[in-house]
Amino acid sequence: MKSLEKYIGYEIYPYSFKDGNDDGYGDFKGLLSKIDYLYDLGVNLLWICPFYKSPMDDNGYDVSDYYQINETLGTMDEFKQIIHECHSRGMKVMIDFVLNHLSDEHPWFQEAIKDKNSPYHDFFIFKDPVMKDGKKCLPNNWEGFFSESVWTYVEEIDQYYFHIFSKKMPDLNWDNPKLRQEIYKVARFYLDMGVDGFRLDAIAHLAKDVTFSDSELPVNEKGIVLDTAKFSNREELYGYLKEFKEEVLDHYDCITIGEVGGCASCEEALRYVDREKGYITMAFNFDTCWENGAYGDYNKKDKDIKVNVKNMKSLFKKWYDACHENADMPIYWVNHDHPRVMSQYGNVKYHKQSAKMLITTLLFMYGLPFIYQGEEIGMTNVDYEDLDDFKDVSAQNFIRSHKDFVSEEVMLRFLRRTSRINARTPIAWSNGEYAGFSNVEPYVKVVGNYPTINVEDNLKDEDSIYKYYQKAIALRKEISSTIYHGSFELLDKENPYLFMYEKKDEEHCYWVISSFSTKNHRVQLPKEYDVLLANHKVVTRHGELIVHPYDSYVIEVKEN
Ligand code: GLC
């Protein structure tokens, strides 16, 4: 995959995509039936989230056998068929590779907790209890990402094991060369099968502060604190990645995108992805994903939630400035770990208009765009009324650890805005029962608005969001050279309502004008221009464009 300029990515969360065998879970059969739908949309690089055998504590990110397909999803033959069907349409397939941790039900871990002398014991990170006043205590005060300590005790061997995610997901010990070789074997297995690359899950965390000393940050009521510096972007990690690259990746024509989350600065990210000196192709950071203030304090009221357009565009610019000369980068609104972009940055009251605006804003910036499943029809956050419906380990841990002092109403409001479940509801394929996702009740409840927000209606309506995506994607491919290699400047960068930018090379100059506002605005137009894409009919007055709520335009500037 030498030049990435013509690729448009699309993330598939397979359990929620399409159920093909009526068990309530999405599966390969369902996915196979929708390859043409994806092809017609114009996307040509699929990122398929984990499909390995898994007890499903974290929807497949807890792998219990890398070499087997999870039963609910289908078979290895079906997976090969997906690769084949995609390749025969010129589409690439990138798979999610979970390599920071695996499931506690994986045989390696089962061996490790039986016997301290097992060779598998050193595949994981174990520590003896710290004795305080004759009592066994946690080895340190670190908190993981899912609202609990990173340590869980195993009685049989009288030791704690380390996990930055759920307690059913022990971290692997990358310091152990034998473990690393096992991971490389898995990578070769799938590359030899024909996959085109990996999204490398939680890659920033492979190396930990091996002193395991307490964090100096203030601890919470449980005496623990999330101090990501203790297990993110640490020096040893770059050595591991260098080895992975030299031993495996360099021998294949593949793409690798590491999830570095909100834990890497531009400088750190470049160490991963620099074209000359880096180890992987690109990094997913989440800097632009949180710009509506919904996170942090769960007591926030609806009126406190406001999109910070100014900050958001400056963050896109910051990453562009850092990367464009030295590295490729992905661009995206959100993924399976975030709320829906429609509810986050769009406006459900301007549903069609804001969904179209969002894709226009994204697509013409530098980088490889990723669409998250369901964005192409403007799917929204959940409308759940019951905390039990938030079937996600991180949401349930949050509920468990807050229920004694936070009201149900406040938790519901917070989770409806921020929970990962928002992204994981079944795709609404039609207005039929269970949104046409399945013929039986799905494993996660559908969003109540599927009678109006669904694929079937989108395919029938020439003015639909899906049809607009098709046009926008086709245009992006057509002018990709300027988009990829031209300059990128924010226009009117202090404007808190409009996200406007210019892409320019020696031959072409394009402006993208997008409104994140419910009011009308005016923008001075160039002397001569062509409108290439618009989600509203063009209205001008005295040389100014009238920008209605959530309007978006791509224009080619002929003379300014
Ligand atoms: C990544 C995944 C997330 C998962 C976690 C643990 O952040 O995107 O869904 O829970 O890793 O594997």
Side-chain angles (χ1 to χ4, degrees), residues 215-227:
S215 168
E216 310 273 300
L217 299 180
V219 295
N220 65 13
E221 60 285 347
K222 285 184 274 170
I224 52 177
V225 58
L226 178 61
D227 181 355

Side-chain angles (χ1 to χ4, degrees), residues 500-513:
M500 301 194 288
Y501 58 88
E502 176 183 86
K503 293 289 316 179
K504 192 174 177 180
D505 62 14
E506 272 157 25
E507 282 165 49
H508 299 282
C509 174
Y510 303 105
W511 284 3
V512 173
I513 301 167

Side-chain angles (χ1 to χ4, degrees), residues 58 61 101 146 165 169 199 201 259 336-337 420 424:
D58 188 18
Y61 280 91
H101 47 268
F146 289 174
F165 296 99
M169 296 153 81
R199 179 261 189 186
D201 185 63
E259 184 203 26
H336 66 281
D337 289 329
R420 316 194 295 181
R424 301 172 180 192

Side-chain angles (χ1 to χ4, degrees), residues 460-503:
K460 280 191 235 152
D461 172 8
E462 279 315 308
D463 184 43
S464 70
I465 301 169
Y466 179 92
K467 293 281 164 91
Y468 184 90
Y469 263 64
Q470 285 181 316
K471 279 186 236 154
I473 290 171
L475 176 63
R476 156 74 202 231
K477 287 182 184 162
E478 195 185 313
I479 63 173
S480 64
S481 175
T482 309
I483 302 308
Y484 225 79
H485 307 290
S487 60
F488 172 63
E489 289 301 335
L490 292 175
L491 303 173
D492 196 4
K493 64 175 195 258
E494 298 300 317
N495 190 315
Y497 306 107
L498 303 181
F499 190 148
M500 301 194 288
Y501 58 88
E502 176 183 86
K503 293 289 316 179

Side-chain angles (χ1 to χ4, degrees), residues 415-460:
L415 290 172
R416 276 196 215 120
R417 265 188 215 134
T418 61
S419 164
R420 316 194 295 181
I421 210 78
N422 288 302
R424 301 172 180 192
T425 57
I427 294 293
W429 290 102
S430 75
N431 60 14
E433 203 178 5
Y434 306 123
F437 167 78
S438 174
N439 289 317
V440 300
E441 190 171 348
Y443 80 109
V444 168
K445 217 170 140 187
V446 296
V447 189
N449 55 22
Y450 71 87
T452 51
I453 300 177
N454 63 65
V455 171
E456 198 176 18
D457 289 350
N458 266 261
L459 295 179
K460 280 191 235 152

